[in-house]
């Protein structure tokens, strides 16, 4: 396929960029939009992106540019000899923004996929899990009045290599918390970096 409209080079914004009309700045800016659209951190969609950011900070993944929305995995962790560990982050929570009759059941998406190339707009022909390691990020706090996704003490994390998922679960599309806990124990934010490294070096335990 001939690419006549190349992929955009996305620049990191400051939040101070104003909306414009007729060549002039208006009295609202990008920060206004972010505050309007992203303040609900418990919301499923926003919480998922936040979980990626939290894990990126734990793993020392550079965040000075922008999130790669179309990458086949969420994070690329720098390693020795320029080899990068590909990490997929999946999140879940007992508490949701909306009114609930009870806590949500916890499960995570582990579907294999066909990788899509942002530069060419084409899909790969191999159906597989694209990352080397999965981090399951559980917002475990159950008090709706005090839930705060920015408080990292309210999160639990589980790390599993893709090799473990492939060996035990095949092409299964979701895994419940009980399934995760068969193969991994909950850890804290500070333990994530070591756990991801260990999952790569001893993927099948």
């Amino acid at each position: 396929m001939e690419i006549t409209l190349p992929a955009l080079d996305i620049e990191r914004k400051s939040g101070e960029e104003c909306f414009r009309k007729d060549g002039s700045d208006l009295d609202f800016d990008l920060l206004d939009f972010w505050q309007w659209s992203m303040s609900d951190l418990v919301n499923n969609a926003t919480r998922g992106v936040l979980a990626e950011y939290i894990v990126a900070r734990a793993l020392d993944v550079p965040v000075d540019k922008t999130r790669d929305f179309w990458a086949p995995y969420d994070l690329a962790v720098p390693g020795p000899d320029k080899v990068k560990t590909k990490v997929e982050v999946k999140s879940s929570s007992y508490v949701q923004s909306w009114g609930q009759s009870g806590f949500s059941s916890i499960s995570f998406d582990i579907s294999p996929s066909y990788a899509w190339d942002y530069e060419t707009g084409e899909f790969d022909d191999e159906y597989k899990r694209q990352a080397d390691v999965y981090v399951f990020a559980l917002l475990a706090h159950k008090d709706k009045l005090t839930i705060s996704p920015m408080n990292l003490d309210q999160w639990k994390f589980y790390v599993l290599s893709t090799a473990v998922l492939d060996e035990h679960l095949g092409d299964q599309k979701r895994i419940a918390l009980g399934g995760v806990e068969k193969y991994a124990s909950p850890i804290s934010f500070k333990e994530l970096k070591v756990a991801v490294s260990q999952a790569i070096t001893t993927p099948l335990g």
Side-chain angles (χ1 to χ4, degrees):
M1 178 177 67
E2 183 181 359
I3 301 297
T4 58
L5 299 170
L8 292 174
D9 183 14
I10 307 300
E11 296 182 2
R12 184 183 174 100
K13 303 292 194 296
S14 70
E16 297 178 355
E17 295 84 358
C18 285
F19 288 81
R20 294 176 61 81
K21 178 73 170 67
D22 298 329
S24 299
D25 289 347
L26 300 177
D27 63 351
F28 52 99
D29 58 23
L30 189 58
L31 179 60
D32 292 324
F33 166 69
W34 287 342
Q35 291 172 330
W36 174 79
S37 64
M38 302 289 284
S39 288
D40 180 5
L41 300 181
V42 180
N43 174 278
N44 282 8
T46 309
R47 172 175 34 81
V49 178
L50 178 66
E52 290 179 31
Y53 176 79
I54 290 170
V55 174
R57 301 300 293 200
L59 302 182
D60 293 331
V61 175
V63 293
D64 57 324
K65 295 185 180 179
T66 62
R67 175 176 179 260
D68 188 346
F69 186 84
W70 297 109
Y73 48 87
D74 293 324
L75 303 172
V77 183
D81 301 322
K82 297 184 178 181
V83 175
K84 294 184 176 180
T85 299
K86 296 173 287 185
V87 176
E88 186 74 12
V89 181
K90 298 297 182 183
S91 77
S92 192
S93 177
Y94 294 106
V95 171
Q96 309 298 334
S97 297
W98 56 84
Q100 298 171 264
S101 59
F103 294 125
S104 295
S105 59
I106 303 301
S107 67
F108 303 93
D109 181 11
I110 54 169
S111 301
S113 65
Y114 294 100
W116 186 74
D117 191 314
Y118 176 73
E119 297 292 335
T120 66
E122 296 183 340
F123 285 95
D124 191 25
D125 57 4
E126 186 177 6
Y127 184 68
K128 66 177 184 178
R129 296 185 176 97
Q130 305 297 326
D132 303 310
V133 176
Y134 277 68
V135 175
F136 301 107
L138 172 60
L139 183 56
H141 195 70
K142 291 185 175 181
D143 182 353
K144 201 153 191 175
L145 294 178
T146 58
I147 191 151
S148 174
M150 294 179 67
N151 181 353
L152 301 187
D153 293 329
Q154 295 188 4
W155 291 82
K156 293 181 180 179
F157 302 92
Y158 301 81
V159 176
L160 278 176
S161 72
T162 301
V164 169
L165 296 176
D166 289 345
E167 178 184 24
H168 295 287
L169 302 177
D171 287 345
Q172 184 173 313
K173 291 181 170 54
R174 296 196 70 83
I175 186 171
L177 180 60
V180 173
E181 290 182 333
K182 288 182 181 179
Y183 309 108
S185 298
I187 60 174
S188 69
F189 171 80
K190 290 184 177 180
E191 297 172 298
L192 269 172
K193 190 172 184 179
V194 171
V196 168
S197 178
Q198 290 176 342
I200 288 299
T201 55
T202 55
L204 298 180

